[in-house]
Amino acid sequence: MAKRYRFYFSRDLPSCFISHLDMVRLFERAFRRLGIKLKFTEGFNPHPKITFILPMAVGLCSSEEMFEVDVEEELDDKVIEKLNLILPKGLKVLKIEEVIDKIQVSDMYYKCFIEAKEDFCKLFEEFMKKSPKIRREKDGKVTFRNIWDYLLGYECKKKENSIELVFHIKVVNGSYIKPEDIIKSFSEEYNLECKIVKIEREKVNYQRVI
């Protein structure tokens, strides 16, 4: 009897540079290696039913990411240890649960580590008071997105050797803004040189879909 399970996992260096499609293939191969029978779609090109909930962009780390998978058997917590023995460095399965409802991401916390001048936070505060926008260009069409339409809050701190910038971002109709795009928009407006050392998605909040 087919069952659907929800897998929670963390992603750190160097596995954060694995693309979304390669991540799907990676877990498919891992399940096959453990002898777990996956449920496949029908049609001329069947593929395993593995769905990531709001997948991460390449290069970003995460303390919690999630995907759902349909299998032809019942799984228990023992699969966590088995998977962690064969997954590449930086990937770690945290927990699994049987899917009994449908959920979606409501909001997320990101932490960015930045190398920049000491007045970075002061200028960033000034930037955020201007109701800033992010410029996007696709297929020759330019659009603008108001940052505060997707941002619930932020905090900028000067650390010993870097800047720590935290964003609380909400998901609106499946869409959200990326922390790196906010930083890019800020640096371009102020002609400020800064280097993003690392971006982590620290926490994800979910809500049930009725």
Side-chain angles (χ1 to χ4, degrees):
M1 181 179 179
K3 287 180 176 289
R4 175 172 293 180
Y5 287 92
R6 191 171 288 145
F7 282 74
Y8 297 83
F9 68 98
S10 61
R11 182 190 340 211
D12 206 339
L13 295 169
S15 293
C16 65
F17 292 104
I18 300 174
S19 70
H20 171 59
L21 290 178
D22 286 337
M23 187 68 71
V24 174
R25 298 187 189 102
L26 186 153
F27 275 103
E28 178 186 354
R29 290 195 297 269
F31 286 127
R32 288 176 179 272
R33 185 172 173 183
L34 296 182
I36 297 173
K37 296 180 180 179
L38 301 174
K39 182 75 174 177
F40 283 75
T41 59
E42 299 178 356
F44 293 104
N45 185 29
H47 58 272
K49 293 185 176 182
I50 301 177
T51 304
F52 280 71
I53 310 299
L54 209 66
M56 294 284 289
V58 175
L60 273 63
C61 301
S62 176
S63 60
E64 183 179 286
E65 196 172 350
M66 191 223 320
F67 68 86
E68 295 178 354
V69 57
D70 289 14
V71 297
E72 298 281 8
E73 58 190 276
E74 188 170 336
L75 302 179
D76 56 32
D77 288 344
K78 293 180 181 178
V79 73
I80 297 176
E81 182 179 357
K82 293 178 180 178
L83 281 171
N84 286 334
L85 287 174
I86 62 175
L87 289 175
K89 185 178 179 180
L91 285 181
K92 183 180 181 181
V93 176
L94 306 172
K95 64 177 180 178
I96 68 166
E97 61 187 18
E98 188 174 352
V99 175
I100 58 174
D101 57 4
K102 188 176 181 181
I103 64 174
Q104 64 183 17
V105 176
S106 60
D107 57 282
M108 306 163 287
Y109 288 87
Y110 287 87
K111 181 179 286 187
C112 310
F113 300 91
I114 303 165
E115 291 181 357
K117 296 179 180 179
E118 290 188 3
D119 57 352
F120 180 95
C121 286
K122 179 182 178 180
L123 294 175
F124 191 80
E125 294 283 351
E126 181 181 301
F127 171 73
M128 294 303 293
K129 291 177 181 178
K130 298 179 179 180
S131 296
K133 292 179 173 59
I134 292 175
R135 183 182 185 275
R136 302 182 68 186
E137 184 173 350
K138 186 177 181 181
D139 300 329
K141 184 179 179 181
V142 177
T143 59
F144 293 89
R145 304 172 81 183
N146 193 317
I147 291 176
W148 280 109
D149 288 344
Y150 300 87
L151 191 64
L152 294 170
Y154 72 92
E155 185 177 11
C156 189
K157 297 179 180 179
K158 176 70 173 69
K159 296 294 184 178
E160 185 176 351
N161 297 315
S162 65
I163 304 293
E164 187 177 286
L165 191 55
V166 179
F167 293 110
H168 185 190
I169 296 173
K170 64 179 177 179
V171 180
V172 181
N173 297 323
S175 179
Y176 67 101
I177 54 174
K178 299 177 181 179
E180 58 268 36
D181 288 342
I182 300 176
I183 298 170
K184 179 183 178 182
S185 180
F186 161 67
S187 62
E188 288 178 348
E189 179 163 333
Y190 284 80
N191 194 26
L192 183 70
E193 290 187 8
C194 62
K195 178 183 178 182
I196 300 176
V197 179
K198 187 178 182 182
I199 297 180
E200 298 178 350
R201 191 163 74 184
E202 283 195 306
K203 183 180 178 182
V204 181
N205 293 320
Y206 305 96
Q207 62 184 13
R208 292 183 62 185
V209 179
I210 300 175

